[in-house]
Amino acid sequence: MSEPRSHAASQAAGTPPAGRYDDTGSGVTGKVVAGFLVLLVGALVVAGAVAGYRLSATPTISGEVIGVTVVDDERTDVVMTVTRDDPGTAAYCIVRAQDQTKGEVGRREVYVPPSENTAIQVDMSIATSARAFVADVYGCGDDVPDYLRR
């Protein structure tokens, strides 16, 4: 009961009607944007690979407190062991003195000189603002600040 449309039959399937879209552009803008996005993703991949390599290539340096003597309210003596993959490289560690509530009452950066052994024992005193209860190693690294070098 409906009559077939004559213009629908003459149009090829999948092609838009003539004049509906502007075909005057050459597509250069789309190619430029696509090229920029490819370069951006490539740069991000390279940056991630470099960061991963630097993190995995960093030698492992760790410290562990093996003894704490609370001398008085203003001083705590600490003995720690520093272990390094490369003992010939100087390192430093940050050691904290804490009270019973784990509040920091003193801190000291300690220079660890190069040695022949992978593990070295370091003795130090930490000046405290209140009586310490415990001490721990906050962290160690091989990027020794200039003011710690002797």
Side-chain angles (χ1 to χ4, degrees), residues 17-97:
R20 179 173 285 183
Y21 302 104
D22 184 17
D23 291 337
T24 59
S26 63
V28 173
T29 304
K31 290 178 184 176
V32 169
V33 170
F36 176 75
L37 290 175
V38 166
L39 287 175
L40 181 65
V41 169
L44 288 173
V45 167
V46 169
V50 168
Y53 172 76
R54 290 185 70 194
L55 287 174
S56 66
T58 303
T60 304
I61 302 170
S62 62
E64 180 182 5
V65 172
I66 58 174
V68 177
T69 304
V70 178
V71 177
D72 55 30
D73 290 350
E74 297 175 350
R75 188 178 120 203
T76 300
D77 293 339
V78 179
V79 180
M80 69 180 228
T81 302
V82 177
T83 306
R84 303 176 270 197
D85 288 343
D86 181 11
T89 301
Y92 80 104
C93 294
I94 300 171
V95 183
R96 302 182 299 178

